[in-house]
Amino acid sequence: MTERPATPRLVGRRADVSGPGLSGAVTDLVADCAPDLDEALVVPDCHYPFHPSTGMVTNPDVVEALVEALAASADVTLALPDSEWVQNAPSMLGYEDVADRTGADTLALGEAETVERVVRTDDERHTVTVPAPLDERPVVAVPTLRADPDLAAAMVTVAEAATGSRATTDVVAASAVVDPDFVLLDGTYTYTGAPHRARFLVAGTDAPAVDRAVAPVAGLKPKQVPYLRPFGVGREAIEGLHAEDLAAELPHETTDPNGGEMPEIMGTGFRLYAKVTGDLVPPQFTGGSDD
Amino acid sequence: MVSVVSEVRVGLLGAGNIGTVHLQSTRGIDGARVVAAADVVAANRTRAENQGVPRTYEDYTDLLAEEDVDAAIVALPPFLHAEAAVAAAEAGCHVFVEKPFARTVEEGRRMLDAAEENDVSVGVDHTIRYQPEVRKLKQLYDEGRIGDVPLASIARINNGPFSAPPAREPVSGWMLDPDATGGGALMDLGVHLFDVLEHFFGELTVEYAHVDSSMDLPYEDSALVVVSTEAGTQATVSAGFFQWETPPEITGYFRLEGVADTLRSEDYLPKQFTAYAAKSALENVSKRARGQEPAYFKPTYYYQAHYHALKDFLDAVGAGEEPPVNGAAGLRMVEHVQTAYEMAEGTAAARDAGADVEVTDD
């Protein structure tokens, strides 16, 4: 681990979504903000095979540019977490091709040995089991900025990679165990209730500071983000970007946490209606699996 | 070939999501009754039992061996369609098969051969032709309201096996295995679209096809096919797995460019599904008060199509008639998909080789 500055520094840039305009911005941010690393375990948000243009996952072009920039001075490994939902999600997002093009090694986090750590927060003890490489090696997190509807940025990306969970207690505990040496937040595409080609990047060496700084971009105050509370909810400025200006560019639509699926009360109402009329009940109101 | 039966005893092979639609639909069909269901998932068997199915089985072959059924509904994943349909036919059952009818033409032929050898009928759940807005277009087209139709376009795009955000449901492995599904968006959705075009314009010929994937998927998530038809209409067929879908809002359209005017399916959809559902529910309450049958599944809008497709099949079986959407039709749609895949592969290979691609009849 490298020594951290007392006051986290955050640097932002506008950037293209691909090509030289992206790789140049990434290279600048790495040169300006990243600590000297001999090795780096790069962890993107690839929790589900959403198309990168939606902002729901990290743009693989950003990861590729970052791997190339880091590889100038470090041994870079691309850490690919298991998706809770879909087998081979990183592959569907193109990370095997990224590894082929950059020559970076890949590490399937789901196949790695694990270590158990106990984290105490406000007198509550929480045990987390994380892949050993995340505990032992310098981590570089590459989150996207999504609010679906809860904020997911650096700390959630790390927690989902480490524990497969984004529950607040797991995010807090995982962030206490896995402390990235460098964060490059990918805002080329964002999701704040709707996709947006936002064209920005934010770099920093402190994951909670990055999340506090970008929460307003997603329309949230840091104190509205439960997992941030144990790490402080004050906010650092982003050099080169103004969070409120970015927020004004983004859509801030309401995301249905059920993805449009009917709440149970609708099922109860429909079953009652069907009982009265003799109508038939659709499967979403009858319970059971979709297989 | 087929005899008249007073009550069609139905065995449900697969009681998941679509199997439940068929189970429910059967409750609204006079002269038909689900007497047994089979599913490997215990929760699905329990759900079927809770909906009044007398007996359930983990293995559908046990159902076919133990039960005296006249018809079987195959609501299993595509990789089990052929095996289950052949087993049902050999057990003497008429068979209603979910789409796609088969993964390959060879599988489909095997299913039809088994049906012929055992003197049973085969039907396929091609539902888009049964959707109310498509039925309205068919009525207007058949009445000659727009004259001849030189051009048509039809599309259906959804999120395939994936969720709209946030991620919340695991995707079954078979759904991402082309060996299990028979293909991607064109196989899953395109068969419906080909069926609608054949229903309107007669025999189809695939003239051009291109398939692609916007991510590293094991099959296509977008497909564009051009067909010519017996009626002289040229049509484009677009199928995709790339768009987030939050029912009841879905992406699909059918547009007929006639010499006198254009017919658009969107013009005959409910303007607001919530208001439509409430109005339809009230209509059914009123029907009930008058002692009438409800308009089954009407508040759900899209499930009506499944009800009518199954009703047509079971009515035909009960009357000893050939089902209106039969196994031969199901096989033809699979043949169109297979032709399109072969054509797309040839087109892609030619383009990769640097050719200026042109597809002709020669």
Side-chain angles (χ1 to χ4, degrees), chain B residues 7-353:
Chain B
E7 181 193 59
V8 181
R9 289 158 305 189
V10 177
L12 182 64
L13 314 187
N17 194 58
I18 194 65
T20 299
V21 176
H22 296 314
L23 170 56
Q24 285 285 320
S25 294
T26 309
R27 293 178 56 205
I29 297 170
D30 287 340
R33 182 167 59 96
V34 173
V35 298
D39 200 296
V40 294
V41 179
N44 290 346
R45 295 196 298 276
T46 301
R47 176 167 64 174
E49 288 162 3
N50 291 341
Q51 293 174 69
V53 176
R55 291 169 297 282
T56 60
Y57 298 82
E58 185 173 354
D59 188 330
Y60 71 81
T61 60
D62 291 336
L63 183 155
L64 293 171
E66 298 290 328
E67 299 286 339
D68 179 18
V69 292
D70 305 301
I73 297 171
V74 177
L76 296 160
F79 62 91
L80 292 171
H81 284 188
E83 176 186 306
V86 168
E90 289 175 345
C93 298
H94 305 291
V95 195
F96 184 73
V97 184
E98 253 311 312
K99 64 83 199 174
F101 179 59
R103 293 175 297 174
T104 64
V105 171
E106 291 68 29
E107 264 191 355
R109 286 188 183 134
R110 189 152 52 87
M111 294 156 76
L112 294 189
D113 288 347
E116 188 174 354
E117 285 164 16
N118 292 281
D119 200 20
V120 296
S121 297
V122 178
V124 186
D125 191 24
H126 280 154
T127 51
I128 294 183
R129 66 158 72 185
Y130 286 99
Q131 287 176 194
E133 78 280 11
V134 175
R135 287 180 142 186
K136 182 64 180 174
L137 260 57
K138 183 71 163 66
Q139 176 204 327
L140 295 169
Y141 172 69
D142 287 347
E143 289 172 359
R145 294 287 288 274
I146 57 171
D148 275 3
V149 176
L151 293 173
S153 51
I154 189 165
R156 177 77 180 96
I157 296 161
N158 65 16
N159 44 11
F162 302 118
S163 298
R168 60 194 183 284
E169 285 182 5
V171 178
S172 296
W174 69 264
M175 293 180 177
L176 290 163
D177 177 1
D179 288 338
T181 60
L186 187 61
M187 180 60 91
D188 189 60
L189 302 172
V191 287
H192 277 316
L193 307 179
F194 289 136
D195 174 69
V196 171
L197 292 175
E198 187 180 274
H199 182 48
F200 275 65
F201 306 122
E203 190 178 327
L204 308 181
T205 303
V206 175
E207 303 285 357
Y208 173 81
H210 181 70
V211 300
D212 207 346
S213 183
S214 57
M215 298 206 298
D216 284 357
L217 300 181
Y219 46 51
E220 80 285 355
D221 70 6
S222 65
L224 177 66
V225 181
V226 177
V227 299
S228 59
T229 71
E230 193 176 0
T233 302
Q234 300 177 81
T236 59
V237 176
S238 304
F241 268 176
F242 52 82
Q243 190 176 80
W244 295 341
E245 179 174 85
T246 51
E249 302 293 340
I250 70 168
T251 297
Y253 61 81
F254 186 28
R255 183 175 168 126
L256 284 69
E257 310 289 357
V259 295
D261 203 351
T262 295
L263 289 174
R264 302 171 191 83
S265 59
E266 298 102 306
D267 292 343
Y268 299 95
L269 282 171
K271 298 291 179 272
Q272 285 200 335
F273 280 101
T274 307
Y276 166 87
K279 181 169 177 281
S280 303
L282 286 173
E283 287 171 0
N284 277 345
V285 170
S286 174
K287 280 172 179 276
R288 182 65 168 184
R290 297 198 301 273
Q292 297 172 349
E293 275 191 355
Y296 291 114
F297 274 142
K298 192 173 180 189
T300 69
Y301 192 75
Y302 289 106
Y303 287 119
Q304 295 174 93
H306 289 286
Y307 169 78
H308 289 293
L310 183 61
K311 184 174 189 308
D312 272 6
F313 170 78
L314 291 175
D315 285 352
V317 165
E321 298 170 355
E322 183 70 3
V325 187
N326 62 15
L331 176 58
R332 282 198 301 279
M333 304 314 132
V334 174
E335 286 173 340
H336 296 322
V337 170
Q338 193 155 311
T339 301
Y341 280 152
E342 289 165 2
M343 196 172 282
E345 192 175 343
T347 307
R351 186 181 303 101
D352 290 345

Side-chain angles (χ1 to χ4, degrees), chain A residues 6-282:
Chain A
T7 304
R9 182 164 172 253
L10 303 171
V11 182
R13 291 276 190 286
R14 302 309 293 242
D16 291 343
V17 298
S18 63
L22 172 63
S23 56
V26 171
T27 303
D28 287 350
L29 287 169
V30 168
D32 188 11
C33 201
D36 292 333
L37 298 170
D38 294 329
E39 62 170 330
L41 197 55
V42 173
V43 182
D45 180 345
C46 44
H47 74 285
Y48 196 85
F50 290 119
H51 195 277
S53 67
T54 64
M56 282 293 295
V57 292
T58 305
N59 176 358
D61 289 347
V62 171
V63 177
E64 183 164 350
L66 177 63
V67 168
E68 286 175 342
L70 291 171
S73 59
D75 289 333
V76 181
T77 301
L78 197 47
L80 301 176
D82 277 350
S83 166
E84 175 182 1
W85 316 103
V86 184
Q87 283 186 342
N88 302 324
S91 172
M92 291 177 202
L93 288 162
Y95 281 105
E96 286 174 6
D97 293 338
V98 170
D100 286 345
R101 286 192 296 268
T102 60
D105 292 332
T106 59
L107 173 66
L109 287 177
E111 297 170 9
E113 287 187 15
T114 57
V115 292
E116 197 173 86
R117 295 284 182 263
V118 179
V119 177
R120 188 174 57 78
T121 311
D122 296 336
D123 297 329
E124 295 275 335
R125 289 164 62 87
H126 189 71
T127 303
V128 286
T129 303
V130 306
L134 291 179
D135 181 57
E136 296 163 357
R137 293 161 64 174
V139 169
V140 173
V142 202
T144 185
L145 176 63
R146 60 181 158 103
D148 60 345
D150 300 323
L151 181 72
M155 294 169 69
V156 169
T157 294
V158 168
E160 288 191 322
T163 68
S165 167
R166 65 180 288 184
T168 297
T169 49
D170 290 323
V171 175
V172 170
S175 296
V177 175
V178 184
D179 184 11
D181 289 71
F182 182 56
V183 174
L184 180 66
L185 181 126
D186 163 28
T188 54
Y189 300 100
T190 58
Y191 183 87
T192 49
H196 188 73
R197 189 180 289 115
R199 301 175 188 273
F200 73 89
L201 301 167
V202 175
T205 52
D206 184 86
V210 170
D211 284 13
R212 284 192 296 266
V214 299
V217 181
L220 297 164
K221 293 176 181 169
K223 66 182 180 185
Q224 293 175 290
V225 181
Y227 69 73
L228 279 173
R229 284 181 199 140
F231 297 88
V233 293
R235 177 156 73 91
E236 297 82 359
I238 306 170
E239 293 176 31
L241 290 177
H242 193 265
E244 279 70 22
D245 290 347
L246 282 174
E249 296 175 16
L250 269 53
H252 297 284
E253 298 182 8
T254 304
T255 301
D256 180 351
N258 297 315
E261 288 179 3
M262 302 285 187
E264 180 50 34
I265 186 68
M266 291 289 289
T268 305
F270 200 99
R271 285 191 292 273
L272 179 61
Y273 149 79
K275 198 168 184 180
V276 169
T277 61
D279 198 0
L280 310 172
V281 182

